[in-house]
């Protein structure tokens, strides 16, 4: 099993990710991937690239890598916003007013160590007696 690990890592690094539309290898090095030599199948791209033309194409790809990274970042942010809109679509906003009762979520530090995983995850109920700035009560 350990002998196939390098092939699995290569496959992961050369597969385009949905969020960015690019491969991790191309975002880091700014160049497209070439089949490893141990496969021993010469691709047309590898066969036609030589010396001077290869250096020129690598320089051109390195010049374009910042733009490629920016576009991948924009696609990633766009996808996150789309997911946020999807999940927030069904949220019903209910404003809290003075006199309402609320539950306060417990933090890991405030949980009683004697309580197991079946212990409560909240404190309260608390009654809102004053309303301060932007959501603090």
């Amino acid at each position: 099993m350990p002998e196939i690990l390098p092939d699995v890592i290569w496959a992961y690094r050369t597969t385009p990710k949905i969020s960015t539309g690019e491969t991790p290898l191309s975002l880091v090095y700014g160049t497209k991937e070439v089949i490893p030599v141990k496969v021993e199948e010469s691709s047309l791209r590898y066969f036609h690239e030589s010396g001077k033309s290869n250096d020129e194409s690598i320089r051109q790809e390195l010049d374009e890598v910042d733009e490629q990274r920016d576009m991948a970042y924009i696609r990633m942010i766009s996808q996150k916003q789309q997911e946020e809109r999807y999940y927030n679509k069904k949220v019903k906003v209910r404003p809290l007013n003075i006199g309402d009762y609320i539950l306060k979520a417990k933090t890991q530090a405030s949980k009683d160590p004697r309580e197991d995983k079946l212990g409560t995850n909240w404190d309260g109920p608390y009654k809102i007696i004053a309303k301060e700035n932007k959501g603090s009560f």
Side-chain angles (χ1 to χ4, degrees):
M1 218 33 125
E3 59 273 357
I4 66 168
L5 184 61
D7 296 332
V8 172
I9 292 173
W10 177 259
Y12 175 78
R13 291 179 180 164
T14 58
T15 303
K17 303 301 170 219
I18 293 172
S19 60
T20 60
E22 299 290 337
T23 65
L25 199 69
S26 67
L27 289 176
V28 172
Y29 297 108
T31 180
K32 298 294 180 194
E33 301 77 24
V34 178
I35 296 175
V37 177
K38 69 179 183 178
V39 175
E40 297 179 10
E41 291 181 18
S42 59
S43 66
L44 287 175
R45 178 174 177 239
Y46 185 75
F47 185 72
H48 290 296
E49 294 294 327
S50 63
K52 201 179 252 188
S53 65
N54 186 33
D55 293 342
E56 184 62 35
S57 65
I58 288 176
R59 273 193 218 98
Q60 184 177 1
E61 287 178 355
L62 286 175
D63 290 342
E64 296 170 355
V65 74
D66 289 332
E67 181 180 340
Q68 185 181 10
R69 287 179 184 152
D70 290 342
M71 292 304 295
Y73 179 74
I74 290 169
R75 280 192 298 271
M76 184 177 68
I77 295 297
S78 172
Q79 182 187 21
K80 285 183 180 181
Q81 289 173 345
Q82 185 179 9
E83 288 174 5
E84 183 179 357
R85 281 192 304 270
Y86 175 77
Y87 285 108
N88 289 338
K89 189 170 31 176
K90 295 187 179 189
V91 173
K92 295 178 182 175
V93 179
R94 183 177 159 254
L96 297 174
N97 299 313
I98 295 175
D100 289 347
Y101 288 94
I102 60 169
L103 296 173
K104 179 183 163 195
K106 283 186 182 178
T107 61
Q108 191 67 30
S110 66
K111 285 188 179 182
D112 187 1
R114 293 174 295 187
E115 290 182 355
D116 291 332
K117 63 182 179 182
L118 298 177
T120 60
N121 293 327
W122 57 84
D123 286 331
Y126 294 104
K127 185 175 183 178
I128 298 175
I129 57 172
K131 192 172 184 179
E132 297 296 326
N133 297 341
K134 293 192 177 186
S136 61
F137 300 97

